[in-house]
Amino acid sequence: MARKKIVAGNWKMNLDRAKARELTAAVAARVGEAGGVELVLCPPALYVETVATALHLAGGKSPSGVALGGQNMHDKASGAFTGEVAPAMFVDLGCQYVILGHSERRTLFGETDAIVNAKTKAALAAGLTPIVCVGETLEEREGGRTDAVVTTQVRGSLAGLSAADIEKIVVAYEPVWAIGTGKVATPLQAQEVHALIRSLLAGLASPEVAGKVRIQYGGSVKPDNAADLACQPDIDGALVGGASLKADDFLGIAKAFQ
Ligand code: PEP
């Protein structure tokens, strides 16, 4: 069965409540333009409920079909973790997804593969679909270490997961040098790493399971470069930062994946 394409917007620490409502309404009203592509909005944690309300989410389902996700979470269910958000809290507000191991979390907040692994297991246990991010820095790419770095990240982040759990996740390949820089990986560069990730998943689970896992590309995706990425065989969607803050751009990217 063909993998359903998935385009997720990582709003990061942007917008205010009114703008979050406005953007959600604009995307939800035009979701038909991206028919067949799954859309996910990942607002700042504090605005998840605002976006859920704007999507008229009930029981995790939105009439518009747009899904909701968090940008990060703690791996513990509850307790003395000041400032953190528990997996079940996202579920409570109607989230189906959570982004984990984004390069900003890895570089700015010291998240290791072991931390990403614990969060991935906690997300799955709570019923969330983790979007697990991996990707090399410019220095690592220029040093010819892309495959080794991505292999370590995939194996470390997914260590101990059953094949059934691997089947449920989404992986995002996001070369760090392409995030927010306007430098997009060429479709071939991206495809090579996506194929590597799929072969790693085949080793961790099975070729059948690997064939079902959706692998998104992320890093300066825009409506005008999305089509070339979308036609690569192992690119199943996009994780979009900057361009997800404008409904036109976000939907333009989603359309490229139809
Ligand atoms: C991201 O942060 O996940 C991302 C891909 O950002 P941008 O699209 O802005 O490069």
Side-chain angles (χ1 to χ4, degrees), residues 10 12 102 174 178-180 218-220 239-242:
N10 174 11
K12 308 194 185 188
H102 189 279
E174 299 207 300
I179 295 179
S220 297
L239 180 53
V240 186

Side-chain angles (χ1 to χ4, degrees), residues 23-55:
L23 178 55
T24 305
V27 171
R30 294 172 53 193
V31 69
E33 294 174 26
V37 177
E38 186 171 1
L39 298 182
V40 187
L41 302 180
C42 301
L46 207 56
Y47 296 153
V48 164
E49 188 162 21
T50 303
V51 173
T53 304
L55 288 173

